[in-house]
């Protein structure tokens, strides 16, 4: 005669993860952290599911700290899907973010935050960081950037009348703001004298800054444009290799600023 398995006892109540302490007094308090993560209208079920799951993972990080990092990586599934659909492209995520920025669909500052999430996901894939890389508060900031970007990308394209500038002048306000942010930021001290893949980071920073300043002061000539494209290629190589948070943020912003500066000189797609 087969003996039936024992009847399981009542499930134990999940215990708060002590690493998430200080975020909320109890699980209900996690609602304040995600209350502004509102699902955008017009998203597909695939996108809505990924975004809602990311939001709930942050909420449940009260019980499991690692859920916060997973929330960021899961939200990128929605971002990549919406970007690919809006741009009609199947490029890697970093290229889709860049194209959306160049096209004016996503502000440069928001794109920089999205790229920080992408870099985290890349480092997680390579085993450079663990799933405990982020706490709930920082994860909420990154996931909020995805929610904001998806909301913008789902809006109708602006008409020619709404995007025209007075006298046909090139819009430089976004570049000027990025330049001011970069000018006030301290160079990451630990990266002086450091090079990645043959690229000296101090010289890279100085070169990009000089070229951006030239664009703001009246526009780059053909040689300056070519040089800036070359430095963007260098940034594309080195940024994924930087696994220190402030350094990654600094050079991600530098790359975004360079991309915004060169965007007016990018030939329109035929």
């Amino acid at each position: 005669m087969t003996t039936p398995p024992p009847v399981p006892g009542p499930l134990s109540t999940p215990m708060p993860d002590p690493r998430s302490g200080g975020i909320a007094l109890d699980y209900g308090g996690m609602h304040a952290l995600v209350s502004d993560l509102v699902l955008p209208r017009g998203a597909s079920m695939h996108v809505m599911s990924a975004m809602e799951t990311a939001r709930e993972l942050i909420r449940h990080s009260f019980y499991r700290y690692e859920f916060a990092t997973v929330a960021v990586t899961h939200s990128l599934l929605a971002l990549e899907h919406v970007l690919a659909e809006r741009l009609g492209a199947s490029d890697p995520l970093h290229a889709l973010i860049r194209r959306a920025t160049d096209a004016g669909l996503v502000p440069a500052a928001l794109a920089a935050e999205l790229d920080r999430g992408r870099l985290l996901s890349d480092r997680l894939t390579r085993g450079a960081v663990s799933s405990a890389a982020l706490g709930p508060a920082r994860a909420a900031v990154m996931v909020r950037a995805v929610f904001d970007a998806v909301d913008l990308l789902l809006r109708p394209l602006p008409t020619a009348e709404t995007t025209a500038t007075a006298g046909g002048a090139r819009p430089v306000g976004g570049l000027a703001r990025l330049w001011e942010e970069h000018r006030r930021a301290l160079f990451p001290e630990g990266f002086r004298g450091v090079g990645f893949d043959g690229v000296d980071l101090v010289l890279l920073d100085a070169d990009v800054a000089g070229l951006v300043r030239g664009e703001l002061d009246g526009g780059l000539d053909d040689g300056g444009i070519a040089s800036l494209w070359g430095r963007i290629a260098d940034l594309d190589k080195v940024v994924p290799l930087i696994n220190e948070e402030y350094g990654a943020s600094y050079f991600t912003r530098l790359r975004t600023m360079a991309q915004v500066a060169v965007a007016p000189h990018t030939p329109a797609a035929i």
Side-chain angles (χ1 to χ4, degrees):
M1 184 176 68
T2 303
T3 303
V7 177
L11 294 175
S12 59
T13 302
M15 298 297 294
D17 192 318
R19 294 170 294 175
S20 298
I23 299 298
L25 294 176
D26 53 24
Y27 175 72
M30 294 295 286
H31 176 71
L33 194 62
V34 299
S35 60
D36 62 340
L37 299 181
V38 180
L39 297 173
R41 295 179 180 179
S44 67
M45 289 301 296
H46 171 82
V47 170
M48 296 277 277
S49 175
M51 296 176 73
E52 187 172 24
T53 299
R55 183 183 65 195
E56 294 310 305
L57 282 166
I58 294 175
R59 197 194 304 269
H60 282 77
S61 66
F62 182 78
Y63 296 115
R64 182 68 182 182
Y65 187 83
E66 283 82 358
F67 286 174
T69 298
V70 178
V72 175
T73 60
H74 202 76
S75 71
L76 295 177
L77 299 175
L79 176 66
E80 186 167 8
H81 183 87
V82 173
L83 282 169
E85 189 173 71
R86 184 62 185 267
L87 296 169
S90 56
D91 297 334
L93 182 55
H94 75 275
L96 291 172
I97 294 172
R98 184 192 313 163
R99 288 182 60 176
T101 307
D102 292 346
L105 297 173
V106 175
L110 179 57
E113 189 64 48
L114 297 173
D115 213 42
R116 280 189 278 273
R118 179 193 63 81
L119 289 168
L120 170 68
S121 180
D122 288 350
R123 292 198 294 271
L124 191 65
T125 300
R126 299 197 310 270
V129 297
S130 74
S131 295
L134 293 179
R138 183 69 184 114
V141 172
M142 288 187 167
V143 172
R144 189 174 295 112
V146 171
F147 271 65
D148 290 345
V150 169
D151 182 57
L152 287 173
L153 290 163
L154 291 175
R155 296 178 185 178
L157 282 169
T159 63
E161 289 78 9
T162 60
T163 56
T165 56
R170 289 182 296 111
V172 296
L175 181 59
R177 285 192 297 273
L178 280 170
W179 168 252
E180 285 303 315
E181 290 175 11
H182 185 75
R183 195 170 60 85
R184 290 193 298 267
L186 296 175
F187 186 87
E189 194 61 37
F191 289 84
R192 296 188 185 279
V194 173
F196 285 101
D197 203 9
V199 179
D200 183 280
L201 297 184
V202 171
L203 291 178
L204 177 61
D205 180 52
D207 286 351
V208 172
L211 290 162
V212 169
R213 184 70 261 177
E215 175 66 10
L216 287 168
D217 287 344
L220 294 171
D221 58 18
D222 290 345
I225 295 166
S227 295
L228 188 53
W229 276 118
R231 297 317 253 163
I232 289 172
D234 289 335
L235 284 162
D236 285 344
K237 287 192 299 183
V238 305
V239 168
L241 302 177
I242 301 174
N243 58 14
E244 190 272 325
E245 185 173 0
Y246 179 74
S249 172
Y250 184 93
F251 284 98
T252 296
R253 183 179 56 245
L254 185 69
R255 181 173 64 180
T256 299
M257 184 172 67
Q259 291 165 348
V260 173
V262 84
H265 307 287
T266 303
I270 300 175

